Amino acid sequence: MVVISDSDMRDRGVPAITYSLRGLCALEVSLKTANTTDLHSGMFGGGGQNANHLLVQLLSTLHDANGKVNVDHFYDEVLELTEFEKEQIKALGFDEEKLKKSLGLTELTGGETNYPYPEKISSRPTLELNGIWGGFQGEGTKTVIPNEAPGKITCRLVNNQNPEKIQGLIKKYLEEQAPKGCTVKVTLQDTGNPFLTPIDHMMIQKAAEAYEQVYGASPVYKREGGSIPIVLDFNHTLNTPVVLMGFGLPDENLHAPNEHFNLENFDKGSLTICSFLERV
Amino acid sequence: MVVISDSDMRDRGVPAITYSLRGLCALEVSLKTANTTDLHSGMFGGGGQNANHLLVQLLSTLHDANGKVNVDHFYDEVLELTEFEKEQIKALGFDEEKLKKSLGLTELTGGETNYPYPEKISSRPTLELNGIWGGFQGEGTKTVIPNEAPGKITCRLVNNQNPEKIQGLIKKYLEEQAPKGCTVKVTLQDTGNPFLTPIDHMMIQKAAEAYEQVYGASPVYKREGGSIPIVLDFNHTLNTPVVLMGFGLPDENLHAPNEHFNLENFDKGSLTICSFLERV
């Protein structure tokens, strides 16, 4: 077993065990039309194909009207949440108005419309267009018909998706759906496995008992939407369960100016780890 | 009447009268989601909306499956070609294989599928995405969810389209079709009127007679797909016909190194202009 303290508590006096992190895979797509150069719309406008048009056309098909990823077999290995997990997520609470206000959004319309927001950002896989570009980006106007338009894609992945397999599915999709009159080249980039130690795993339960003893409160169980690469590596390379027992508080300015750490949790954290080690 | 020599002949001994130029209008579209900053896909991926997704979704609707511009009333004022004009275009000849080879294209798939290539680039209006961008464009991977994605659009316009009216139609379309969860701001940029002096206009016919007298050959009639702003200004500000009588040859490296001008056309051009002035 590996124990890592790089996650946070729910609140002061409310410990949390993070039992899942999302994995990742990344791709770059390069779409090319004329292999010589950009074209001028005065000479070719309305006749020569425009790489921006074709990229927009291709990428707009990656999600359906419900925000589901349109790539065949993308969801095949996705573990659905158990009822207990859904209850845990509900118990964590979610203040939509507060979140929208903090982000400056009038609506939250990302991702799959059929899932509640807290599930979308933690237990569901995603496909994001992190970058697109083609043609002229300066001030004013240029009547250029670009011959090349690239895009960058990353997916957040969940158990039991395999990052390399998902990369392959997306590459295949983009190549097969390439519009007429262009070539689409897909480059595979980084991957990282998703991580999950089941809540009912003995090591998670021992950690819960240790928290209860020291804090006098049961921990909440959380899935994080991000990735901590070293956790994924320990989990998959050593083939051992990983238990994330973190003692930071959400308002301690993690990795930012004036980062700090509550002394109560320094003491109680040490005691919790001791109790945990005794129990296992 | 205004006479301008800024166009070219068809070939040595084959004079040409350019009787139409396309106009232009330009717009910039700026799509914004969260008004604070980009988001991180580890925290918000699958929940917070992605400006790239929404831009791609919006712009992909600007053309239908036949390459027609999807904006209501876009084509309302477009003058269709006369039978004589279609014959003239056919007579000019078009070597598709040669063009594809010179551009490095395997197919010519731009614009409206229902029109021949030479008409698409000269007598049909267009809507081009000259620039799109959003999010990360560097090397490697960033798991950013961009909050802003702009695009640049220009249209080549033909008689009797009004550039300001077309700008208004496109702006209205983009604002009305703005996806949920974002704001779309459209900025109007340059405009230029299309230009057309009908082939049967007396001044064009006098020019044709002058060419016939000096060159012993009837001129061909051409539409150009580009714009010469000063021509449009003379035509619309002075409200006079404009006659484009150019004497350059296509292989004289116009505006490029080693630009040159055939002495035969210097002499014959002078005579043609004299003959034309006498006739009018």
Side-chain angles (χ1 to χ4, degrees):
Chain A
M1 168 196 49
V2 174
V3 182
I4 300 178
S5 288
D6 189 28
S7 50
D8 58 8
M9 296 175 54
R10 172 68 178 148
D11 207 343
R12 202 158 170 178
V14 187
I17 295 178
T18 299
Y19 67 99
S20 170
L21 298 166
R22 289 195 287 193
L24 195 85
C25 73
L27 309 94
E28 186 163 330
V29 48
S30 169
L31 185 151
K32 281 196 93 167
T33 55
N35 66 18
T36 46
T37 177
D38 292 341
L39 302 177
H40 183 269
S41 82
M43 292 175 69
F44 300 104
Q49 53 267 45
N50 180 321
N52 280 348
H53 292 195
L54 302 181
L55 185 77
V56 157
Q57 185 186 326
L58 176 62
L59 298 184
S60 70
T61 67
L62 280 167
H63 297 86
D64 71 13
N66 295 318
K68 239 174 110 81
V69 177
N70 237 345
V71 175
D72 282 349
H73 305 297
F74 184 82
Y75 294 98
D76 281 4
E77 264 87 37
V78 172
L79 273 188
E80 295 295 329
L81 290 175
T82 65
E83 285 308 311
F84 180 74
E85 288 181 287
K86 286 187 186 176
E87 281 164 29
Q88 285 290 313
I89 289 178
K90 269 191 205 138
L92 286 171
F94 169 56
D95 187 338
E96 182 167 335
E97 289 311 312
K98 189 177 161 190
L99 178 66
K100 287 194 294 195
K101 204 175 163 191
S102 78
L103 299 178
L105 288 170
T106 52
E107 303 190 65
L108 279 173
T109 61
E112 297 168 276
T113 52
N114 300 332
Y115 287 83
Y117 181 89
E119 294 183 21
K120 291 201 279 189
I121 61 163
S122 65
S123 65
R124 298 297 300 170
T126 71
L127 188 157
E128 301 277 356
L129 304 177
N130 306 111
I132 53 170
W133 69 101
F136 177 62
Q137 303 181 11
E139 272 195 41
T141 300
K142 264 194 185 166
T143 54
V144 62
I145 301 178
N147 73 327
E148 189 168 11
K152 282 177 182 281
I153 294 171
T154 57
C155 296
R156 294 283 170 177
L157 304 175
V158 300
N159 285 72
N160 293 316
Q161 288 179 300
N162 176 294
E164 286 79 16
K165 185 176 166 192
I166 297 291
Q167 275 182 327
L169 294 176
I170 297 170
K171 183 176 156 77
K172 182 163 170 275
Y173 176 89
L174 291 169
E175 287 170 351
E176 284 178 0
Q177 302 290 321
K180 270 179 72 174
C182 70
T183 55
V184 168
K185 199 181 138 204
V186 179
T187 311
L188 306 184
Q189 298 179 311
D190 307 340
T191 58
N193 284 294
F195 149 73
L196 177 81
T197 300
I199 292 177
D200 58 7
H201 192 283
M202 187 192 67
M203 293 303 171
I204 299 281
Q205 289 310 311
K206 296 286 179 204
E209 290 167 17
Y211 276 120
E212 277 156 26
Q213 185 192 336
V214 176
Y215 282 88
S218 296
V220 296
Y221 296 97
K222 292 202 304 179
R223 282 171 176 255
E224 289 289 345
S227 312
I228 308 178
I230 192 75
V231 173
L232 316 176
D233 289 345
F234 278 135
N235 183 228
H236 282 260
T237 310
L238 301 178
N239 196 22
T240 56
V242 178
V243 183
L244 297 179
M245 299 176 72
F247 298 93
L249 292 175
D251 60 359
E252 288 177 339
N253 295 352
L254 187 69
H255 303 339
N258 198 24
E259 181 170 8
H260 53 284
F261 186 62
N262 192 300
L263 287 178
E264 176 190 321
N265 290 325
F266 182 76
D267 293 332
K268 286 195 174 167
S270 305
L271 290 170
T272 306
I273 294 292
C274 291
S275 167
F276 176 64
L277 290 176
E278 264 180 6
R279 287 166 195 278
V280 300
Chain B
M1 165 195 52
V2 173
V3 182
I4 300 178
S5 287
D6 188 29
S7 51
D8 59 7
M9 296 175 55
R10 172 71 177 146
D11 207 343
R12 203 159 168 177
V14 187
I17 295 179
T18 299
Y19 67 99
S20 170
L21 299 167
R22 288 196 287 194
L24 194 86
C25 73
L27 307 94
E28 186 162 331
V29 47
S30 168
L31 186 153
K32 281 197 92 168
T33 55
N35 66 19
T36 46
T37 177
D38 292 341
L39 302 177
H40 183 269
S41 83
M43 291 173 71
F44 300 103
Q49 52 268 46
N50 181 321
N52 280 348
H53 293 196
L54 302 182
L55 185 77
V56 156
Q57 187 186 323
L58 176 62
L59 298 184
S60 69
T61 67
L62 279 168
H63 297 85
D64 72 12
N66 295 318
K68 239 174 111 76
V69 177
N70 238 344
V71 175
D72 282 348
H73 304 296
F74 184 82
Y75 294 98
D76 281 4
E77 265 85 36
V78 172
L79 273 188
E80 296 295 329
L81 290 175
T82 64
E83 285 309 310
F84 179 74
E85 287 182 286
K86 286 187 187 175
E87 280 163 29
Q88 284 290 314
I89 289 178
K90 267 190 206 137
L92 287 171
F94 170 57
D95 186 339
E96 180 167 337
E97 289 312 312
K98 191 178 161 192
L99 178 66
K100 287 194 294 195
K101 204 175 164 191
S102 78
L103 299 178
L105 288 170
T106 53
E107 304 190 65
L108 278 174
T109 62
E112 298 168 276
T113 52
N114 300 332
Y115 287 82
Y117 182 88
E119 294 184 20
K120 291 201 279 189
I121 61 164
S122 65
S123 65
R124 297 298 300 170
T126 70
L127 188 157
E128 301 278 355
L129 303 177
N130 306 111
I132 51 169
W133 68 101
F136 178 63
Q137 304 182 12
E139 273 196 40
T141 300
K142 263 193 186 166
T143 54
V144 63
I145 301 178
N147 73 326
E148 190 168 11
K152 281 175 184 283
I153 293 171
T154 56
C155 296
R156 293 282 171 179
L157 304 177
V158 299
N159 284 72
N160 294 317
Q161 289 179 300
N162 176 294
E164 286 78 18
K165 185 175 165 191
I166 297 292
Q167 275 182 327
L169 295 175
I170 297 170
K171 182 176 156 78
K172 182 163 171 272
Y173 177 90
L174 292 169
E175 288 170 350
E176 284 179 359
Q177 301 291 321
K180 271 178 72 173
C182 70
T183 54
V184 167
K185 199 181 138 204
V186 179
T187 310
L188 307 183
Q189 299 179 311
D190 307 340
T191 57
N193 284 295
F195 149 73
L196 176 80
T197 300
I199 293 178
D200 57 6
H201 192 283
M202 186 192 68
M203 294 302 172
I204 299 280
Q205 289 310 311
K206 295 287 177 201
E209 289 168 17
Y211 276 120
E212 277 156 26
Q213 184 192 336
V214 177
Y215 282 90
S218 295
V220 296
Y221 296 97
K222 291 200 304 177
R223 282 172 175 254
E224 289 289 343
S227 313
I228 308 178
I230 193 72
V231 173
L232 316 177
D233 289 344
F234 278 135
N235 183 226
H236 282 259
T237 309
L238 302 179
N239 195 23
T240 56
V242 178
V243 184
L244 298 180
M245 299 177 71
F247 298 93
L249 291 175
D251 60 358
E252 288 177 339
N253 295 351
L254 187 68
H255 303 340
N258 199 24
E259 181 170 7
H260 54 286
F261 186 62
N262 192 301
L263 287 178
E264 175 189 323
N265 290 324
F266 182 75
D267 292 334
K268 288 197 173 167
S270 306
L271 289 171
T272 306
I273 293 291
C274 291
S275 167
F276 176 63
L277 290 176
E278 263 180 5
R279 287 166 194 279
V280 300

